[in-house]
Structures are given as C-alpha cells and as structure tokens.
Amino acid sequence: MKRATTTFGVLFYLKKQKTSLQGKAPICARVTVNGKRTEISVKRSLNVNEWNEMKGMAKGNRKEITELNLFLTQFKAKIINTYQNMLLNDEPIDGPTIRDKVMGTDRLAPTLVLLMEYHNEQQLHKLAPGTMKNYHTTQRYVKSFLMEKFKRTDIFLSQLNYKFILEFERFLFNYIPKDHQKPINNNGIMKHIERLRKMINMAVKLDWLDKDPFASFKKRFDKVERESLNSEELAILADKELSIERLRHVRDMFLFSCYTGLSYIELAELTPNKIVTGIDGGLWISTSRAKTDTRVRVPLLPVATDLMEKYRDDPRALNNGTVFPVISNQRMNGYLKEIADVCGITKTLTFHIARHTFAMTVTFN
C-alpha cells in the first residue's frame, strides 16, 4: 500500500512570552508535521531586539551571533536528518517522536510494550491466573497489530491517539486466526479494548502519558443471554448412565458446580480443609472468589455432598490434595460437549454454564 504523503517543516522563533527581566527570550524550534506543531527547546536565548523574525535567526555580525546562527543551522540539520531517517526506515512520523529523537529522550520515553509488561508485572500477584492469561493474549494482539500496521515491534506512548484505538479495533474485527480458532466476536473485541484501556489508564496515572486516547471511545457490548440448564436438562444429566469413566468424572464435577456455584478455578482449588461444619450442623464450603478474593460460604446440598463423597479416596484427588480429580478447563469443556451429545442436550455445554444453573438449583430441589 502506498504511503500517504507527509508534510514537514522547521522554523525557529523567539518565545517572547518567556522574556526575562534582562530582555532575553528563549529560542525554540517549531516542527510541523501534517499541520500539527511540536515545540523543541533549543536551550539558547537572545535579546528580543537581536532576532530576525523573517529569517528565523539572530541578526548582527558579532562573534556570538555568528556562532549562535551556526548552532541553529546545525540544530535544524539534525531535525531534518532525523525526519529523513524515519522516512527511509518507514517509521510512523510525528512531531513528538522527532523531538524525542533529536533530544535523545527517545531511549527513555515509555513505550506501549514497556507499559504492558510493567502492568502485567505489577498485577501478577493481584489478578487471577485466568485474568492474567487474558492480558497476555491482548498483549499478543497489540504486538501483531503494531507489526501489521506500522511494521515495528513497539511504539511510543506519545504516539497513541484516538485513531490508534479505532485502527486497533478494526484490526481485531478483520483478524483471521491462524490456529483454527473462531474469529473474535464483538464482545471479545470489546474485552481486548477494555484491557488495553486499563493499561493506558495506568500510564496516565504514572504520568507516562499526558492525554487519555480513550477519552472519546465508547465500548459497544452486544447483549448476551446467559444460558443455563433447566430442571429437565439437569435431571437428564444427573440420571444418565455413562459407561466412560472420564465422562462420569467430568459430569460429576459439572453437577457439583451447578449445586454450589463454584467456578472452574474455584473447583480446581477446592481442598478438604475448605469444607467446614456450619452452626446449623451441616457442611459448608468456605473459600474465596478467584477473581475478587471475596470470602464466601456456600451450604452443601445433600446431592452435592454425595458427589463429593464419591471421590474421597480417589488417588488423583488425594495426590493433588483436592476434593476432585480435576483436569484442565479446556479438556473439561471438550468432554462436556461429548456428554451433551450423549444426553441429547442441544445447548453448548461448557463449565461456565454451571455457574448460571446454580441460581436455579433451589427450584430444582
């Protein structure tokens, strides 16, 4: 694709509003890229009456004036060379980036990849593993976008703007998976945008970024009806004779979640010491929500207690120190699809459905 033409210009001027009591004003370079101006401090000052506004240089023949004009010529050449090198290297060009390169602050300026890595490092022990996995996935999409759009592996935070967000959103909508995954739906895209926004918010709070590029962006989530099993489907699932052991185990763990509301990770981390006796004399689950770390206590219905008792002496559960012989969430969901086919359940059965079925268990029992 042909690169759009970039307009570029450089001129020097006196910043007269900063004139000192001695009558001297700082000299600045104004870099204009595609009509947008960026100021670069030259770190020199001059008496206002010694400045030639038309030529953008000092006037006079004194040695100090001659040396200053030579410095300004060299400074301008450095700006132009920086612009030309960026053009030859096919880098995104804007005034702030040119300024950072000229002043040598580009090596210190925070970048998007640096921000994402810093965010993930800071949140590693605060967020659940599944949530951190989602952030790493978003980071991979951002890196793919940078390579496809800008042909580079990173970008300065100063280059982020509203257009960047819109183009990243379009990239996700048009993204074609290479590993046979399903294309990202609208809500999945909005979740990636949401995670990127949280990381950008951290940059704003750290003063790494002056302006939030998300300020005008509006997320658009599609309303999704959360599926759950009705009483008939739950009864079919519970009563079905399954000849394959692995399917029986997965079915039992799914049912246990239906009767307790535990998520996959909460079930996977359920240990015998989290089963306690309540003041009513019955058994309760005393644990913390994986995402929020909020303490919860859930009464165990008799049917849930029976399911738990089936695995009291299971070697795999004993070896892991858990109540159930849990397998990976991915394998669990794969086996649930098999179970749904065997039971004649047409809904897409995933472990997440159990959480939504839990709200209806009082009616079921």
Side-chain angles (χ1 to χ4, degrees):
M1 183 176 67
K2 186 177 179 181
R3 180 171 181 154
T5 303
T6 301
T7 60
F8 171 78
V10 184
L11 63 84
F12 293 105
Y13 65 97
L14 284 187
K15 200 167 186 178
K16 294 182 180 179
Q17 62 269 36
K18 296 289 185 178
T19 302
S20 68
L21 294 175
Q22 292 75 32
K24 287 189 174 183
I27 303 172
C28 293
R30 177 182 293 150
V31 178
T32 305
V33 179
N34 294 329
K36 294 184 178 181
R37 297 175 175 180
T38 300
E39 177 185 288
I40 303 178
S41 174
V42 174
K43 309 298 183 183
R44 296 288 192 278
S45 59
L46 185 70
N47 285 322
V48 174
N49 57 9
E50 292 183 303
W51 183 254
N52 188 325
E53 290 190 15
M54 293 293 294
K55 294 183 178 181
M57 59 190 302
K59 58 185 178 182
N61 297 317
R62 290 186 296 110
K63 180 182 178 182
E64 294 84 353
I65 295 297
T66 302
E67 290 177 348
L68 175 59
N69 284 335
L70 176 61
F71 172 79
L72 294 179
T73 299
Q74 293 172 338
F75 198 93
K76 183 175 182 179
K78 185 176 182 180
I79 295 174
I80 294 173
N81 287 337
T82 299
Y83 164 74
Q84 291 175 337
N85 287 333
M86 294 175 69
L87 197 64
L88 290 173
N89 292 327
D90 201 28
E91 297 181 41
I93 299 174
D94 60 23
T97 306
I98 293 176
R99 177 194 60 207
D100 292 341
K101 287 179 177 290
V102 169
M103 302 304 291
T105 58
D106 59 310
R107 293 179 294 276
L108 303 175
T111 66
L112 181 54
V113 172
L114 174 65
L115 168 65
M116 293 189 295
E117 291 174 349
Y118 179 80
H119 171 275
N120 292 343
E121 178 184 343
Q122 292 297 312
Q123 300 300 315
L124 181 61
H125 301 295
K126 299 178 182 179
L127 301 178
T131 303
M132 286 306 307
K133 180 181 178 182
N134 291 334
Y135 272 101
H136 288 304
T137 301
T138 297
Q139 183 173 344
R140 287 197 297 272
Y141 279 122
V142 170
K143 288 182 175 180
S144 296
F145 167 66
L146 290 175
M147 184 56 64
E148 179 173 307
K149 179 65 180 178
F150 304 109
K151 301 298 185 291
R152 59 190 304 181
T153 58
D154 204 354
I155 190 172
F156 294 116
L157 290 179
S158 61
Q159 295 175 272
L160 299 183
N161 51 30
Y162 181 64
K163 183 181 178 184
F164 179 93
I165 307 304
L166 293 180
E167 289 179 341
F168 179 56
E169 180 187 27
R170 184 170 62 180
F171 166 81
L172 293 176
F173 270 112
N174 296 328
Y175 184 80
I176 301 176
K178 300 178 178 61
D179 52 3
H180 305 291
Q181 295 178 2
K182 294 181 180 179
I184 315 174
N185 61 25
N186 176 74
N187 286 2
I189 290 170
M190 290 302 110
K191 293 301 287 186
H192 285 300
I193 296 288
E194 189 174 67
R195 285 189 283 270
L196 177 59
R197 182 168 197 169
K198 288 180 179 178
M199 291 187 277
I200 296 299
N201 283 340
M202 174 178 280
V204 174
K205 292 177 181 178
L206 290 168
D207 292 326
W208 289 3
L209 194 59
D210 295 329
K211 184 179 179 182
D212 180 9
F214 279 97
S216 301
F217 185 85
K218 302 296 182 184
K219 292 179 293 185
R220 304 174 306 279
F221 282 100
D222 294 334
K223 187 175 181 180
V224 177
E225 294 295 333
R226 297 292 187 182
E227 278 197 317
S228 61
L229 297 184
N230 57 39
S231 57
E232 292 78 12
E233 291 167 330
L234 190 61
I236 290 172
L237 186 65
D239 296 338
K240 185 67 176 181
E241 291 291 335
L242 298 173
S243 59
I244 303 175
E245 184 181 48
R246 59 179 170 83
L247 297 186
R248 289 200 303 272
H249 289 174
V250 170
R251 187 265 311 275
D252 290 345
M253 287 183 280
F254 179 85
L255 289 173
F256 187 82
S257 183
C258 287
Y259 299 133
T260 60
L262 296 187
S263 67
Y264 165 79
I265 189 64
E266 290 161 354
L267 180 73
E269 296 177 352
L270 184 62
T271 53
N273 66 315
K274 294 180 181 178
I275 308 300
V276 299
T277 301
I279 57 175
D280 60 353
L283 293 179
W284 289 64
I285 295 175
S286 179
T287 185
S288 298
R289 287 296 180 200
K291 282 191 175 183
T292 62
D293 200 33
T294 304
R295 294 293 300 177
V296 294
R297 289 173 63 88
V298 181
L300 281 174
L301 299 171
V303 64
T305 302
D306 292 342
L307 289 169
M308 188 175 63
E309 287 298 318
K310 290 173 62 175
Y311 296 92
R312 176 183 291 274
D313 299 318
D314 187 282
R316 292 165 299 173
L318 292 173
N319 184 58
N320 293 329
T322 55
V323 173
F324 290 97
V326 181
I327 60 176
S328 72
N329 195 18
Q330 185 177 8
R331 289 174 62 195
M332 188 91 74
N333 286 332
Y335 293 156
L336 283 172
K337 291 179 182 179
E338 291 186 51
I339 294 170
D341 291 338
V342 172
C343 295
I345 297 174
T346 57
K347 294 174 181 174
T348 302
L349 209 57
T350 65
F351 205 86
H352 196 62
I353 286 181
R355 295 288 300 275
H356 301 287
T357 303
F358 171 63
M360 304 174 66
T361 55
V362 175
T363 303
F364 296 161
N365 295 277

